[in-house]
């Protein structure tokens, strides 16, 4: 363990939306990202949360994959 | 799986009644202006007073089930999940996502496509079930688990860095003991040091993902302050 590992473990002081707010707008976030818009600027607290919360990031990745694939017939 | 599938008709009828009741209760007969016609059609059909609603619910459940299956496949589930077991989790996720979508229908504002909004619930439901399932019957390490710290300290240490690593690990451990509440300690040790998925931890603690994350977030902030104060960390506001 070194200081870099410690920073990874403990995160940053940036504003973090938390899971509930992130999941609440994850559909808008994912569509904006797929459209190539700057989600870091549009939803900075959600972007920070996704970096810190593996579960929400995995949900984000799954939603983005579904948007790309399109399941509707 | 067969039993759940055979019960699907009854489930859909129940959901249809709930959607109709929601409309009566809230008196929201108008469909808002949406950017895409597909979303407007979904809302119109799900709020229909006639048979169109039932057909829309059937179609929506199929869509949510496909989304759950696709997400489960994307995650490459470990071998502990057999085909039938995995399919049952997908069916449960589709049912729960359908309930979530219909109960929250009047909160949909058209800021995204309706299908993207609905997929979100399917992804959430199947991911929570998969994470929890992977930890069924397993012991979740807590703060009093000394081997946790030994394992953690032994990972990735180069010979030349050993003194620094041991010193840093000791500082973290002291900060965890001195600064955190028992619940913060348990959550930090399980989620951060042992990679226990937050949804599995939430189920074991009888809490939501958001509530457990809040505990973890607070614990990290407290530890950062302590370690900054003791000179082990520079300011970590920027990466």
């Amino acid at each position: 363990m070194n200081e870099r590992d410690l920073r990874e473990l403990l995160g940053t002081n940036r504003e973090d939306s938390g899971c509930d707010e992130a999941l609440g707008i994850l559909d808008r976030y994912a569509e904006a990202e797929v459209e190539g818009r700057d989600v870091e600027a549009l939803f900075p607290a959600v972007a920070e949360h996704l970096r810190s919360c593996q579960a929400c990031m995995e949900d984000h990745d799954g939603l983005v994959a579904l948007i790309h694939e399109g399941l509707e017939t | 799986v067969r039993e759940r599938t055979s019960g699907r008709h009854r489930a859909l009828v129940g959901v249809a009644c709930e959607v109709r009741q929601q409309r009566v209760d809230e008196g929201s007969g108008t469909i808002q202006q949406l950017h895409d016609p597909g979303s407007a059609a979904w809302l119109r059909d799900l709020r229909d007073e006639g048979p169109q609603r039932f057909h829309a619910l059937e179609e929506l459940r199929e869509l949510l089930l496909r989304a759950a299956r696709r997400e489960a496949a994307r995650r490459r589930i470990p071998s502990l999940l057999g085909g039938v077991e995995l399919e049952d989790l997908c069916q449960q996720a589709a049912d729960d996502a359908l309930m979530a979508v219909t109960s929250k229908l009047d909160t949909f504002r058209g800021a995204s496509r309706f299908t993207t909004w609905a997929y979100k619930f399917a992804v959430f439901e199947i991911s929570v079930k998969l994470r929890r399932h992977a930890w069924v019957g397993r012991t979740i390490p807590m703060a009093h688990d000394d081997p946790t710290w030994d394992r953690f300290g032994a990972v990735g240490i180069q010979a030349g860095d050993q003194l620094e690593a041991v010193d840093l690990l000791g500082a973290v451990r002291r900060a965890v003991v001195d600064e955190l509440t028992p619940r913060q300690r348990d959550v930090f040790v399980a989620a951060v040091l042992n990679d226990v998925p937050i949804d599995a931890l939430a189920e074991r603690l009888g809490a939501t993902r958001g509530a457990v994350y809040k505990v973890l977030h607070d614990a990290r902030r407290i530890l950062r302050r302590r370690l900054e104060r003791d000179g082990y960390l520079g300011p970590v506001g920027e990466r």
Side-chain angles (χ1 to χ4, degrees):
Chain A
M1 173 187 266
N2 54 33
E3 186 172 339
R4 198 178 71 178
D5 298 331
L6 200 53
R7 289 178 188 276
E8 288 296 317
L9 285 184
L10 301 184
T12 72
N13 291 322
R14 291 175 181 165
E15 185 184 354
D16 180 327
S17 69
C19 300
D20 295 339
E21 186 180 334
L23 291 172
I25 62 169
L26 198 58
D27 48 323
R28 293 169 57 195
Y29 185 101
E31 282 194 352
E33 184 177 321
V34 169
E35 290 165 5
R37 297 163 67 194
D38 184 357
V39 289
E40 292 278 345
L42 289 170
F43 312 103
V46 173
E48 178 63 20
H49 177 71
L50 295 180
R51 278 190 288 272
S52 301
C53 181
Q54 186 181 356
C56 287
M57 180 57 103
E58 286 175 358
D59 290 356
H60 157 273
D61 293 346
L63 189 55
V64 167
L66 286 172
I67 294 171
H68 277 304
E69 292 170 12
L71 296 175
E72 296 141 273
T73 54
Chain B
V1 174
R2 275 198 303 275
E3 185 181 356
R4 180 166 291 279
T5 305
S6 68
R8 194 175 123 208
H9 180 82
R10 287 194 301 279
L12 286 174
V13 170
V15 168
C17 291
E18 183 176 314
V19 171
R20 181 165 46 204
Q21 188 64 42
Q22 189 178 59
R23 183 175 178 178
V24 170
D25 288 345
E26 302 184 19
S28 56
T30 56
I31 294 176
Q32 63 199 42
Q33 292 295 314
L34 299 171
H35 292 299
D36 68 298
S39 297
W42 272 111
L43 285 192
R44 182 195 62 225
D45 292 347
L46 288 169
R47 288 170 168 158
D48 186 72
E49 296 284 346
Q52 197 61 31
R53 181 178 64 246
F54 186 80
H55 296 312
L57 287 168
E58 271 200 323
E59 190 179 343
L60 178 57
R61 192 192 181 276
E62 283 302 315
L63 199 61
L64 295 170
L65 179 57
R66 287 205 295 275
R69 286 173 176 159
R70 194 71 64 90
E71 177 59 8
R74 190 186 71 84
R75 293 189 183 213
R76 294 184 177 86
I77 306 307
S79 57
L80 66 101
L81 280 172
V84 173
E85 202 172 8
L86 182 57
E87 175 62 15
D88 193 39
L89 289 181
C90 291
Q91 295 282 349
Q92 290 176 39
D95 287 342
D96 292 345
L98 184 65
M99 289 301 295
V101 168
T102 53
S103 68
K104 297 175 192 291
L105 198 58
D106 284 337
T107 69
F108 176 67
R109 296 286 175 263
S112 66
R113 287 190 306 156
F114 175 81
T115 47
T116 303
W117 182 73
Y119 291 160
K120 177 175 69 175
F121 296 101
V123 169
F124 176 79
E125 292 294 342
I126 189 63
S127 67
V128 167
K129 286 170 176 47
L130 290 171
R131 289 191 197 101
R132 289 179 174 177
H133 190 277
W135 279 79
V136 167
R138 294 173 65 182
T139 300
I140 290 183
M142 292 295 178
H144 53 76
D145 179 22
D146 284 341
T148 288
W149 291 96
D150 297 337
R151 279 197 310 275
F152 192 71
V155 173
I157 297 177
Q158 305 297 316
D161 299 331
Q162 197 157 8
L163 280 179
E164 182 198 1
V166 168
D167 186 34
L168 206 47
L169 189 63
V172 173
R173 190 169 185 174
R174 282 193 301 277
V176 166
V177 170
D178 293 347
E179 305 286 345
L180 302 186
T181 66
R183 191 169 182 87
Q184 287 172 336
R185 280 200 292 270
D186 283 342
V187 168
F188 182 80
V189 168
V192 175
L193 303 189
N194 288 285
D195 292 327
V196 177
I198 197 165
D199 290 323
L201 194 51
E203 182 181 43
R204 211 64 70 90
L205 295 173
T208 63
R209 178 194 297 183
V212 173
Y213 184 82
K214 176 72 166 55
V215 173
L216 184 60
H217 185 67
D218 289 346
R220 282 173 155 155
R221 178 173 44 78
I222 291 166
L223 293 175
R224 278 199 307 272
R225 283 182 184 167
R226 164 72 180 262
L227 292 165
E228 286 171 17
R229 196 180 68 211
D230 290 352
Y232 288 97
L233 271 181
V236 290
E238 301 296 328
R239 256 182 197 170

